[in-house]
Amino acid sequence: MAEHTAARPRGRPPRADREQVVHTALRLLGEVGLDALTMRRLADALGVQAGTLYGYFPTKRALLTAMAEAMMSGCQDAGENAATPREQVLALARGLRTALLAHRDGARVYAGTHAVGPNTLGFSDTLIGALRQAGVDAAAAVQTALLIVHFTTGHVLEEQAATGADPELLTEIDDLHQAIAQGEYPQLAETHKELTGTDFTQLYERGLQLLTSDVP
């Protein structure tokens, strides 16, 4: 009589929920950077088929939008203890910068996304509300809020690029100094150290003060 061999249970492949996908994507972002963050690599990290991810996020852009929303967690609370509406505006802007800096390529992920989750919308609503409380009219408050977000995103984009591990960066800076020294650029020659300085917080604060100079 032939020995009976039990069939191996096939089972279903592991599944991943939306929150787990975003959490893992942010972890991978820190490990490999945005350029190397592919849907296939993310699927491998989760132990699922790539098709599973497309059930949650039909495109990589949709995934980036969800990642941006996750990065904004808690940002709207940045100025809750501010003494004045103006101080709340400044604290919210700084909170956005901190949130983007907390993730490798954070500004690149955030730029161009239009998340409709509570983190992003809550931050925007709180920022506009603080500007309105400071006496700025509705239209100007929206414009100022957009300028703050765009300035912060662009500043962090440059900040993260300048502090990255690109070995060509130091060479490019040296080339810049040499070009200034060899050419007829008196203003650049006098200020070349500031031009390639790395005190990004001081530079950000100056820009932020200029942007909000008309906020009481």
Side-chain angles (χ1 to χ4, degrees), residues 36 65 131 205:
T65 298
L131 289 163
E205 287 297 322

Side-chain angles (χ1 to χ4, degrees), residues 32-215:
V32 304
L34 181 56
D35 292 332
L37 177 62
T38 63
M39 297 296 268
R40 181 176 296 279
R41 175 169 285 188
L42 179 56
D44 289 343
L46 288 162
V48 300
Q49 297 295 318
T52 300
L53 301 185
Y54 288 109
Y56 294 113
F57 305 105
T59 64
K60 185 175 180 179
R61 181 180 179 84
L63 173 63
L64 295 181
T65 298
M67 292 167 65
E69 165 69 8
M71 291 192 299
M72 293 291 289
S73 177
C75 282
Q76 71 183 90
D77 302 325
E80 60 183 358
N81 296 320
T84 66
R86 175 180 170 78
E87 286 302 316
Q88 184 181 16
V89 170
L90 298 179
L92 286 164
R94 293 167 185 146
L96 174 60
R97 175 175 176 248
T98 298
L100 298 183
L101 283 173
H103 300 274
R104 179 177 176 181
D105 292 331
R108 290 182 62 198
V109 171
Y110 182 81
T113 60
H114 299 281
V116 295
N119 295 334
T120 301
L121 296 185
F123 172 82
S124 299
D125 190 74
T126 302
L127 178 57
I128 293 172
L131 289 163
R132 296 294 306 278
Q133 289 176 22
V136 182
D137 66 57
V142 171
Q143 292 172 351
T144 302
L146 287 172
L147 286 171
I148 288 173
V149 172
H150 293 167
F151 166 66
T152 302
T153 305
H155 189 277
V156 174
L157 186 67
E158 293 291 340
E159 187 171 355
Q160 290 184 318
T163 56
D166 188 345
E168 296 182 3
L169 181 60
L170 293 179
T171 300
E172 291 176 352
I173 292 176
D174 186 58
D175 289 344
L176 174 61
H177 287 308
Q178 289 188 38
I180 291 173
Q182 294 170 4
E184 296 182 2
Y185 310 106
Q187 302 306 318
L188 294 180
E190 184 180 350
T191 60
H192 70 95
K193 291 183 179 179
E194 288 78 11
L195 189 64
T196 55
T198 57
D199 191 344
F200 294 104
T201 297
Q202 181 185 47
L203 185 60
Y204 178 76
E205 287 297 322
R206 175 159 175 74
L208 187 58
Q209 294 298 328
L210 290 172
L211 271 178
T212 58
S213 60
D214 60 346
V215 179

